Amino acid sequence: MNRRTAILGAAATLAGTAAIVAGDRLWDSHEAGEWREEAHRLRRPPTPGLAGAEARTALIQSATLAATSHNTQAWRFAGDDGGITLLPDFTRRTPIVDPDDHHLFVSLGAAAENMVHAAPTVGLIADPRFETTGEGRIRVALRPGKVAVTDLGTAIPRRQCTRGIYDGRAVPAAELAALVAAGTRPGVSVRLITERPAMTALTALILEANNRQLNDAAFRAELKRWVRFSYAEAMDTADGLFAPLTGNPELPEAIGRVLFDLVLTTDAEKAKAKVQVESAAGLAVFISDQNDPAHWVAVGRAYQRFALQATALGIKHAFLNQAVEVPEVRRQVAAHLGVGARRPDLILRFGYGNPMPWSLRRPVADVLA
């Protein structure tokens, strides 16, 4: 047995042992209690009756609960009497996996859509408009409206990318139709793939892209920078990908960073992705008519509404975006789906399963411009 084999064996043993601990006791620890308390605090819905600056702060808080690639939270917010402005935070961009900032603008759209559905709770109507000039900001105008509690608004605190294994149950046709309606908007469509042969064909492209990414040292280094291996690290940054939320064990940061390079293999990720897809009810692909930031924002809004509708229906989802992140494979996806020059923007799996613990978000004070 050579040194590398010994290290890999030890790493696998340690990771396997830690995974058992993760399943049995990880979320019952003192640190887990602190995590849950903070995560739940962040997910308190807006209080009816808020007005002025307090109402705007509540809407910003709701906006920060939107999904972002690697949980980078690459956004800033500025409020005034007329509304709220969302701005991209390019200091938190991920240039390897997202070289054109597509995912960044998608996340801005998702955050704006959360505001749309949170606003009625505080008696406001939110109207987002993307500004095509400058750095690409979204102006969310606010005007008085009726106080209302809606299904999508109440889903905002509960929405999550659930990265666990689903139970394989099919989603009823009426609920599939509701998902399509929620995920369709001008310039954006969503295609649901629920037949197993079609899901398998798309999975092959996902796995091809996954292999390319994992064989790219720059991609691995960028991903590693956003992984939070321990509670202490995750609580300190309140961003990034906390290892247990991706199905991996919580470990001391130094050990986690060593094991990351040893156990993140193409074979392991291929096996995980196959199980994830096999357990899902289907795959959803979001497709935009044009490839520009305005349409990426529209995709983000469409995705977030889809995600909130899924949450309201008790349906889980998680991203499998590898095949749309590698340009060569993305073109194969477009050809496979027969969408011509339109861009496949996002791929996610959906189905029924148990919720995972919540991820964290940075405090509102930290995201104000």
Side-chain angles (χ1 to χ4, degrees):
M1 178 182 295
N2 60 32
R3 181 174 180 273
R4 177 174 174 79
T5 302
I7 292 175
L8 286 172
T13 299
L14 178 56
T17 301
I20 294 172
V21 173
D24 291 345
R25 297 192 303 274
L26 175 65
W27 297 106
D28 294 326
S29 66
H30 172 71
E31 293 89 347
E34 293 180 343
W35 179 281
R36 284 195 298 269
E37 181 179 347
E38 176 63 11
H40 290 165
R41 183 191 67 78
L42 292 170
R43 286 170 171 77
R44 292 172 185 161
T47 302
L50 293 178
E54 289 185 333
R56 291 193 296 272
T57 297
L59 294 186
I60 292 171
Q61 178 70 65
S62 293
T64 66
L65 297 180
T68 62
S69 178
H70 292 1
N71 194 20
T72 59
Q73 304 169 43
W75 44 42
R76 296 174 293 141
F77 301 85
D80 56 59
D81 289 342
I84 298 169
T85 301
L86 284 75
L87 306 100
D89 185 351
F90 293 118
T91 67
R92 303 176 74 83
R93 64 189 299 265
T94 49
I96 304 303
V97 73
D98 189 27
D100 58 2
D101 295 317
H102 167 274
H103 286 345
L104 189 155
F105 281 102
V106 166
S107 71
L108 292 183
E113 189 67 17
N114 266 7
M115 287 192 188
V116 169
H117 298 288
T121 306
V122 293
L124 293 171
I125 297 171
D127 184 17
R129 290 288 186 271
F130 177 72
E131 298 180 0
T132 57
T133 59
E135 61 186 335
R137 61 181 62 191
I138 302 173
R139 177 62 179 173
V140 182
L142 297 173
R143 65 182 191 274
K146 294 182 179 180
V147 175
V149 177
T150 67
D151 288 344
L152 298 194
T154 57
I156 292 172
R158 296 183 288 116
R159 185 218 62 85
Q160 66 171 190
C161 291
T162 307
R163 296 181 174 89
I165 304 302
Y166 303 159
D167 65 13
R169 282 185 291 150
V171 174
E175 297 189 356
L176 292 176
L179 293 178
V180 171
T184 302
R185 60 177 297 107
V188 181
S189 61
V190 60
R191 183 175 301 185
L192 302 188
I193 301 170
T194 57
E195 297 296 329
R196 288 294 159 182
M199 291 173 64
T200 299
L202 185 54
T203 301
L205 294 174
I206 293 171
L207 296 177
E208 178 184 344
N210 186 68
N211 287 346
R212 295 193 189 198
Q213 288 180 327
L214 292 182
N215 287 320
D216 180 348
F219 171 86
R220 294 173 68 96
E222 181 177 80
L223 175 60
K224 187 177 180 179
R225 283 197 297 273
W226 287 99
V227 175
R228 309 296 180 236
F229 295 97
S230 69
Y231 276 114
E233 184 184 19
M235 292 286 288
D236 182 57
T237 63
D239 64 10
L241 301 169
F242 185 32
L245 302 187
T246 64
N248 296 297
E250 189 262 352
L251 294 168
E253 182 181 350
I255 295 176
R257 294 196 175 280
V258 172
L259 292 185
F260 178 92
D261 293 318
L262 297 176
V263 302
L264 184 67
T265 66
T266 56
D267 286 345
E269 291 301 298
K270 177 181 178 180
K272 181 169 72 173
K274 289 182 67 174
V275 171
Q276 289 173 337
V277 173
E278 288 170 357
S279 74
L283 300 173
V285 184
F286 287 81
I287 304 159
S288 56
D289 289 349
Q290 297 184 44
N291 188 23
D292 56 41
H295 282 79
W296 303 342
V297 167
V299 167
R301 293 189 62 186
Y303 153 73
Q304 192 69 14
R305 192 165 55 251
F306 176 103
L308 295 177
Q309 181 65 78
T311 302
L313 294 171
I315 299 169
K316 309 300 182 186
H317 76 281
F319 291 111
L320 286 171
N321 278 331
Q322 298 95 318
V324 296
E325 292 169 345
V326 177
E328 296 85 354
V329 182
R330 185 169 66 241
R331 287 191 286 271
Q332 294 179 52
V333 173
H336 175 70
L337 297 177
V339 298
R342 289 184 292 162
R343 175 171 178 157
D345 291 271
L346 304 172
I347 301 175
L348 53 95
R349 60 187 172 101
F350 62 90
Y352 299 101
N354 295 323
M356 298 282 284
W358 306 110
S359 61
L360 296 185
R361 295 294 190 273
R362 293 180 293 152
V364 167
D366 290 355
V367 298
L368 295 179

